[in-house]
Amino acid sequence: MLLQTLKNSQITDNEISELMISQEKVAHVQSNNPLDHALLVLIKSGYTSIPVLDKEYKVQGQVGKAQILDSILGMERIEMERLHEYFVSDVMTTKVPRMKKDETFGKALMLSINHPFVCIEDNEGAFLGIMTRRSILALIHRHLEKI
Ligand code: 4BW
């Protein structure tokens, strides 16, 4: 019933750009950054996981606090002094949901079931921003309020 409502409405055709957090507002790191820098960005931004970009602003993957802490987990304690021994590329995952700017809201909705954010790219693969689960749910809520 809800799916049918969404399908029949304009919501699935909404432009992703309306919902996107643009790249200049997205906390991110580069794959060649040392892990201590990445942990600092994650702690300061407050996010669990953030996109990893290359020098040309293309998406390479994502990295989170859990992956970083896991990489320095010793037998009895977290060995913070080992943070500078590793780079983001050593612990990041290349599995990151991504889609083009002109794809449908329906695709973003589907991806957001399993992923807290989806990276949005242009046709050359340059990173434009992210669409979060929050923005997707907010749009659905706004839409349901209207009907
Ligand atoms: O700093 C925050 N500000 C606000 N307003 N909300 C926050 C903040 N940190 C977390 N939240 C809330 C949001 O509702 O907790 C949710 C889970 O955060 P997360 O996953 O586990 O860090 C947030 O949900 P969301 O807005 O749907 O965001 C989903 C995920 O997208 C976040 C984070 O991994 C990523 N993200 C969101 N905004 C980002 C970002 N990554 C980098 N830069 C941003 N600006």
Side-chain angles (χ1 to χ4, degrees), residues 21 25-27 45-51 116-117 130 132-134:
I21 299 178
K25 293 183 188 147
V26 176
S45 67
Y47 295 114
T48 311
S49 186
I50 55 177
F117 67 89
I130 59 171
T132 63
R133 199 177 268 162
R134 176 193 175 106

Side-chain angles (χ1 to χ4, degrees), residues 35 39 64-75 77-80 82-83 86 90-91:
L35 272 197
L39 189 59
K65 287 172 193 154
Q67 288 159 293
I68 294 178
L69 293 178
D70 190 50
S71 73
I72 55 167
L73 196 62
M75 293 297 278
R77 63 181 185 91
I78 295 175
E79 296 166 353
M80 297 299 277
R82 286 173 52 212
L83 266 183
Y86 297 105
D90 296 323
V91 303

